[in-house]
Amino acid sequence: AQTVTQSQPEMSVQEAETVTLSCTYDTSESNYYLFWYKQPPSRQMILVIRQEAYKQQNATENRFSVNFQKAAKSFSLKISDSQLGDTAMYFCAFMILNTGGFKTIFGAGTRLFVKA
Amino acid sequence: GAVVSQHPSWVICKSGTSVKIECRSLDFQATTMFWYRQFPKQSLMLMATSNEGSKATYEQGVEKDKFLINHASLTLSTLTVTSAHPEDSSFYICSATLRGNQPQHFGDGTRLSIL
């Protein structure tokens, strides 16, 4: 079964500090893509960062970076210099190619509160 | 770029009514569109994958006759909830990709309330 586990339902961080959101996944596929999406209170999902499983180098996007451990099937998100606008629901997801096409499986999400 | 428009954003209707939700990619051609359902404080559950010009692929447990999906062009996919009942009340989100392995671009979602 393909699953994504986000073990932290809620987290909080002080503005300007660093926070790490954890994510583990389970798949028998060797080639897949990993994503972190953000869903602010306004509801629209936004891509935060993307990682191809065949790449060993961890993806970075400004203040956002990942720690991708393929053997451990771990894909954590680090947010540096947290800002109030980072308050949102964060979903970890992976995408595989199956018979019906590409399919994305989402974790349950981590609600992040950035405090002033 | 990569804007996805979803309409309507909120609909309230009587039980037994059919409701159509539109998902448009405004500035790119989406070969694939996805339809999700999201319950309060829960994750997105994939309902179906829609490829332009072909029949949608439904996830296990999703009724094809209940949730009709049409993807007639590279910029438009529609989800019709037929004979809606209160248990169909939910937040429905569409997304679109230029190519299958690219990140998804999401619509704002549609809150459906069936009375």
Side-chain angles (χ1 to χ4, degrees):
Chain A
Q2 325 273 6
T3 58
V4 178
T5 302
Q6 292 180 250
S7 59
Q8 306 147 315
E10 283 190 5
M11 292 190 73
S12 63
V13 63
Q14 205 68 34
E15 193 177 11
E17 293 187 347
T18 296
V19 64
T20 299
L21 309 183
S22 65
C23 173
T24 58
Y25 58 93
D26 189 19
T27 180
S28 56
E29 301 289 330
S30 58
N31 195 19
Y32 48 88
Y33 303 84
L34 294 158
F35 303 90
W36 277 97
Y37 287 96
K38 169 184 176 182
Q39 188 179 39
S42 64
R43 283 285 193 170
Q44 186 176 38
M45 297 270 286
I46 305 168
L47 175 69
V48 175
I49 200 164
R50 175 182 189 235
Q51 172 87 40
E52 289 90 347
Y54 62 84
K55 288 187 178 179
Q56 292 186 343
Q57 186 174 6
N58 289 324
T60 61
E61 192 70 41
N62 299 317
R63 298 182 295 107
F64 299 89
S65 62
V66 298
N67 183 3
F68 174 45
Q69 302 290 328
K70 190 171 184 178
K73 294 182 181 175
S74 171
F75 184 62
S76 61
L77 174 69
K78 184 171 82 171
I79 305 174
S80 305
D81 186 26
S82 298
Q83 300 176 0
L84 296 178
D86 295 334
T87 292
M89 193 77 166
Y90 287 80
F91 292 100
C92 176
F94 78 85
M95 182 166 64
I96 57 170
L97 176 62
N98 62 11
T99 54
F102 284 95
K103 176 178 176 178
T104 302
I105 298 160
F106 289 83
T110 296
R111 188 171 297 279
L112 176 67
F113 296 95
V114 180
K115 299 179 288 187
Chain B
V3 177
V4 174
S5 172
Q6 189 172 338
H7 178 81
S9 57
W10 200 352
V11 59
I12 303 173
C13 58
K14 294 181 179 179
S15 184
T17 307
S18 292
V19 179
K20 180 186 284 189
I21 303 170
E22 292 187 350
C23 181
R24 293 180 184 272
S25 56
L26 298 184
D27 52 359
F28 69 101
Q29 293 186 324
T31 56
T32 305
M33 288 187 172
F34 303 90
W35 287 96
Y36 295 90
R37 185 170 179 177
Q38 186 179 30
F39 292 101
K41 297 186 179 180
Q42 293 188 27
S43 188
L44 282 70
M45 299 299 296
L46 179 65
M47 298 175 66
T49 302
S50 170
N51 292 298
E52 186 266 338
S54 62
K55 290 183 178 180
T57 302
Y58 289 80
E59 293 300 302
Q60 191 173 7
V62 178
E63 298 176 58
K64 300 178 183 181
D65 297 331
K66 176 74 170 177
F67 300 99
L68 299 178
I69 292 173
N70 183 281
H71 192 165
S73 77
L74 285 171
T75 59
L76 174 64
S77 176
T78 60
L79 167 67
T80 302
V81 183
T82 62
S83 186
H85 292 284
E87 58 267 28
D88 299 323
S89 298
S90 190
F91 194 67
Y92 293 88
I93 303 175
C94 75
S95 71
T97 63
L98 176 61
R99 288 189 300 276
N101 63 350
Q102 294 300 305
Q104 297 171 56
H105 303 283
F106 290 84
D108 287 342
T110 297
R111 180 168 300 285
L112 175 62
S113 297
I114 308 299
L115 304 177

